[in-house]
Amino acid sequence: MTQQMQSSTASTGAPRGTGGGLLHLHLLDTSVASDNVGDEIIARYLRAQLEATFPDAYFTTSASHDGLGRFGRSLVEAADAVFLLGTNALYDRWRARGGLMPMSRADVRAMDGKLVLFGVGANRAWAGRADRPQVLRLSRLLSPRFTHSVRDGSAMKIVEAAGRYVLNGSCPTIWTLPRQQSFAPARPEHVIFSLTAYRADRDADARFLDWLKTRYTRFSFWPQQVEDIAYFDSFANRPDATRIAPNLAAFDRALADPAALDVVGSRLHGGTHGLHAGRRSVILAVDNRAREIGAETQIPVLDRAEAPDRLDALLDAPIEIDLTASHELATRYLSQFEELRAA
């Protein structure tokens, strides 16, 4: 993993808008106004880490996908720092509407130099350069005081182009997994599986569904987005599966089944959430995010096109996951905020 850390020595000044020296942190919540339950998984784990880091802080939130609005803007203006929680919000090209992080001119003025990235990804693979309007915008938004956390190499290059210090720490949803997890070879009857409609590959997904029926006898389908349901139903070879509701509470209940089960599929955060529940999970990579996480960690990741030919060998062997390096990166990133806690 690549990382750079900045020595932060600037004076914090008096916290604004809270009175009594109370630290005010504003969170741009990527799970609000989102149709993807994966954003809720991200927000859950990242907010928990910030609350543990700043146990005495005052937290406010607003939606990231819809821009700040009048109330959100006033909260950002009063905050000591603003954290963007995950999602693929970084672009190397200027987008007038801001993509997944729309910003009006008033929003940019309110956030001027306060924004700290926490596990943010690139919307697409790095194209070799970032255009000047986007660099100027990001250099105004992003805090020069703290090192930013991104989850892929493309995002790291975009932040570097904006002149900010950055740590490529993969996805912070894995930072609070155990340092070591071990899974013995096993053949449980039950599998929770997922598909990704917006990254459809009918041939690869049809072969994956055929493979499921060769290994398991009980099937549960979890749609991380509602569109995944229609996509699953479009396959004539789909297994007869229980449908888990597309919400996180339903997924948690399914993962709590007392019987042994595996979690296998192309939903990255569905897989990491399965690991948090202590379930053997395999992620089928459909984009650069999962591929890079697989390359940078020992979390089981297979390319979707190759998965049906490799899954049996993977599951019939011991799986050892060592996330010591990820834990060290988490400590490096979160410990830099000591001066905020001391303000």
Side-chain angles (χ1 to χ4, degrees):
M1 299 182 187
T2 303
Q3 66 263 3
Q4 291 177 286
M5 293 297 295
Q6 180 182 22
S7 175
S8 184
T9 58
S11 172
T12 60
R16 293 170 290 172
T18 57
L22 188 63
L23 178 65
H24 178 187
L25 302 179
H26 187 78
L27 309 182
L28 296 178
D29 190 335
T30 52
S31 69
V32 179
S34 171
D35 66 349
N36 190 335
V37 183
D39 288 328
E40 188 175 345
I41 294 172
I42 294 168
R44 173 190 286 188
Y45 290 115
L46 272 58
R47 175 159 185 157
Q49 291 179 61
L50 290 175
E51 289 175 342
T53 302
F54 304 103
D56 299 316
Y58 167 55
F59 288 92
T60 56
T61 61
S62 63
S64 63
H65 291 350
D66 280 340
L68 292 178
R70 181 164 62 92
F71 292 104
R73 197 155 44 243
S74 67
L75 291 170
V76 164
E77 288 173 342
D80 296 289
V82 179
F83 288 86
L84 176 61
L85 306 183
T87 206
N88 298 328
L90 289 173
Y91 299 80
D92 56 10
R93 296 290 178 265
W94 168 262
R95 295 170 68 94
R97 296 181 180 273
L100 290 177
M101 191 176 65
M103 291 281 165
S104 68
R105 290 181 180 179
D107 294 345
V108 173
R109 286 194 300 270
M111 199 173 296
D112 195 5
K114 288 186 179 183
L115 183 62
V116 183
L117 303 180
F118 190 8
V120 179
N123 190 262
R124 65 177 185 176
W126 173 248
R129 61 179 293 273
D131 64 25
R132 182 170 174 76
Q134 183 69 341
V135 167
L136 291 174
R137 180 184 188 180
L138 288 174
S139 64
R140 182 169 181 186
L141 287 171
L142 297 179
S143 172
R145 179 179 169 191
F146 297 113
T147 294
H148 299 269
S149 159
V150 297
R151 66 189 190 192
D152 56 70
S154 295
M156 183 183 71
K157 291 181 183 298
I158 294 169
V159 177
E160 288 177 336
R164 296 294 182 260
Y165 289 89
V166 61
L167 175 154
N168 180 8
S170 193
C171 184
T173 58
I174 71 174
W175 288 1
T176 49
L177 284 169
R179 283 178 179 267
Q180 282 87 29
Q181 274 185 303
S182 300
F183 299 95
R187 284 187 171 254
E189 297 179 351
H190 187 194
V191 64
I192 298 175
F193 67 96
S194 61
L195 301 172
T196 305
Y198 79 90
R199 295 281 187 182
D201 182 331
R202 295 198 61 82
D203 178 65
D205 287 330
R207 291 192 300 113
F208 170 58
L209 295 176
D210 280 338
W211 172 82
L212 288 173
K213 292 182 289 186
T214 68
R215 188 168 184 102
Y216 303 97
T217 59
R218 181 183 167 200
F219 309 93
S220 296
F221 173 61
W222 185 61
Q224 192 170 291
Q225 288 181 284
V226 171
E227 291 78 7
D228 296 345
I229 299 172
Y231 183 57
F232 173 60
D233 286 338
S234 71
F235 287 92
N237 68 325
R238 64 186 182 274
D240 183 14
T242 299
R243 311 296 179 93
I244 303 170
N247 66 70
L248 192 49
F251 191 28
D252 285 337
R253 288 193 296 272
L255 289 169
D257 189 315
L261 62 87
D262 288 335
V263 178
V264 185
S266 56
R267 286 301 190 168
L268 170 60
H269 294 104
T272 58
H273 194 55
L275 288 171
H276 275 281
R279 300 299 189 172
R280 184 172 64 168
S281 301
V282 181
I283 298 162
L284 310 187
V286 299
D287 57 23
N288 65 300
R289 297 175 304 150
R291 292 186 186 97
E292 291 190 28
I293 286 177
E296 294 168 355
T297 71
Q298 294 178 313
I299 289 176
V301 177
L302 297 175
D303 189 86
R304 173 173 55 181
E306 302 173 355
D309 299 322
R310 298 179 58 192
L311 276 163
D312 280 318
L314 176 65
L315 296 170
D316 289 336
I319 293 175
E320 301 288 340
I321 302 174
D322 186 340
L323 295 177
T324 298
S326 296
H327 280 249
E328 291 172 351
L329 288 172
T331 299
R332 289 169 65 85
Y333 176 72
L334 294 170
S335 66
Q336 71 175 320
F337 302 117
E338 180 61 38
E339 67 177 68
L340 278 177
R341 291 195 297 269

